[in-house]
Amino acid sequence: MQNRIVTLDEFIIHRQKEVPFASGELTGLLRDIGVAAKIVNREVNKAGLLNILGAAGSENTHGENVQKLDLYANEKLIECLRNSGECCGIGSEENEEFIPVPPVDGKESKYVVVMDPLDGSSNIDVNVSVGTIFGIYRRKSEPSGPVNAADFLQKGEDLVAAGYVLYGTSTILVYTTGRGVNGFTLDPTIGEFCLSHQNIQIPKRGNYYSVNQGYYLKFDVEMRRYIDHCSDENYGLRYIGSMVADIHRILFQGGIFLYPNTRKYPLGKLRLLYECNPLGFIVEQAGGRAISCYLERILEIEPKELHQRATIAMGSPEMVDEMQAFVQKYSTLPV
Ligand code: AHG
Ligand code: MN
Ligand code: MN
């Protein structure tokens, strides 16, 4: 498959053939997400032209300012998933409740999708990379009825597939179904995602750490000690403010991404279902680690609510090990 262009669709179908008794439903769902990503990409790229930039004038369920493009991406993804016929429910960062999807042409489907339709929305207005994150679970409820909360409140380790799209200098879709991580760059001239990064392996260590250092004084002492260590070691600081973009860099160059608890966000800011689990699954599949700042493996956390937040430390395995050692060493100190 090396010497010619392999499109995302071809790759997904090729992979399906390797799985005995695969029904093609997951394949279809992944393809539909790829189509939705192209539609969102089109809007992201012409955002400045269409006066689509700026706040939509409403707040999402987390009380954050919603950008117009967040709404657009959310609507487009929901529309594609509704029409897909391979998805029976959607949990979105932008919707308070999960969205049941009725069968298309009477066909029952067994997958639910969780997503952050537009990650890094504070960067939209200033032409900095943003992304889309998604995770796919097999439903737990009976296929004949509507979905329920338990279908969404599954641990990250139960993910069937996860991926992200980064609308960056080029647009890239990265996904895993638990058998390695592969990346596909959008060739705008032919409108196809083409295999560009096969079997991505995260470096064991990197030279960068990624954290909002502006909150340094609001972090617990063990986290401050670890950040001091990063600085002592002369690691460079890189923080984009779009988690997808920071994790993408770390997948290729190594490093660690941190979003610890702060006084404003005592449970962490990032969402377990929509951000931490899908990206944690990808990072682990690439040979990295993803843990909370309380040292639980992210993928083993049992979600209790749809919009649950988590603290996060993920990236190169040896750097996460090191951060864990700092927490174990210093967390008994008084703050
Ligand atoms: P979203 O745009 O989906 O709300 O996510 C933003 C997230 C994440 O992408 C980023 O790493 C983090 O919030 C930035 O938060 P701070 O500005 O607090 O550092
Ligand atoms: Mn986000
Ligand atoms: Mn978002």
Side-chain angles (χ1 to χ4, degrees), residues 93 116 118-121 212 215 239 241 243 259 269-270 275:
E93 185 198 81
D116 177 354
L118 226 283
D119 175 67
S121 40
N212 192 331
Y215 304 153
Y239 190 72
M243 187 188 191
Y259 206 112
K269 176 188 179 189
L270 299 171
E275 293 165 321

Side-chain angles (χ1 to χ4, degrees), residues 2-235:
Q2 267 311 300
N3 291 328
R4 65 176 190 85
I5 289 174
V6 177
T7 67
L8 175 65
D9 288 2
E10 274 182 282
F11 186 88
I12 294 171
I13 290 167
H14 180 82
R15 276 288 163 101
Q16 183 198 326
K17 286 190 193 134
E18 293 170 9
V19 181
F21 312 115
S23 62
E25 289 166 61
L26 180 61
T27 303
L29 184 52
L30 286 166
R31 286 171 61 173
D32 290 339
I33 291 174
V35 172
K38 285 189 221 172
I39 297 172
V40 174
N41 176 68
R42 192 183 62 199
E43 294 311 306
V44 168
N45 281 330
K46 66 181 183 191
L49 300 171
L50 283 187
N51 192 27
I52 202 168
L53 295 177
S58 61
E59 289 189 339
N60 67 10
T61 55
H62 312 284
E64 293 149 347
N65 218 8
V66 178
Q67 305 289 316
K68 279 185 199 167
L69 214 49
D70 288 43
L71 299 180
Y72 182 87
N74 196 37
E75 276 166 23
K76 280 297 156 199
L77 281 155
I78 291 172
E79 192 180 307
C80 287
L81 292 169
R82 271 187 195 280
N83 295 332
S84 154
E86 312 295 3
C87 167
C88 55
I90 305 160
S92 167
E93 185 198 81
E94 299 298 340
N95 295 80
E96 181 129 26
E97 307 289 343
F98 61 81
I99 304 164
V101 175
V104 176
D105 297 332
K107 182 173 165 256
E108 290 165 357
S109 64
K110 57 175 184 248
Y111 295 109
V112 298
V113 173
V114 287
M115 63 178 185
D116 177 354
L118 226 283
D119 175 67
S121 40
S122 69
N123 281 325
I124 297 169
D125 277 351
V126 287
N127 240 330
V128 175
S129 301
V130 292
T132 294
I133 309 172
F134 64 90
I136 301 174
Y137 289 100
R138 200 166 280 117
R139 71 184 296 178
K140 288 188 151 177
S141 54
E142 283 303 313
S144 51
V147 285
N148 61 41
D151 293 322
F152 297 90
L153 299 180
Q154 300 194 48
K155 293 182 189 172
E157 62 186 2
D158 296 330
L159 278 163
V160 174
Y164 65 80
V165 186
L166 175 63
Y167 312 100
T169 42
S170 53
T171 296
I172 182 166
L173 184 151
V174 173
Y175 86 97
T176 182
T177 53
R179 290 183 303 138
V181 183
N182 293 285
F184 301 80
T185 303
L186 183 64
D187 180 340
T189 60
I190 57 170
E192 294 279 3
F193 282 107
C194 302
L195 181 60
S196 51
H197 301 80
Q198 215 165 351
N199 193 23
I200 299 166
Q201 296 288 317
I202 192 167
K204 299 262 175 283
R205 313 188 60 86
N207 294 320
Y208 296 119
Y209 69 110
S210 188
V211 65
N212 192 331
Q213 188 118 5
Y215 304 153
Y216 178 84
L217 293 175
K218 289 153 187 104
F219 295 147
D220 291 340
V221 66
E222 59 271 23
M223 202 50 63
R224 299 202 301 263
R225 291 282 160 93
Y226 176 65
I227 290 170
D228 294 345
H229 165 78
C230 290
S231 176
D232 287 345
E233 292 291 311
N234 277 329
Y235 297 151

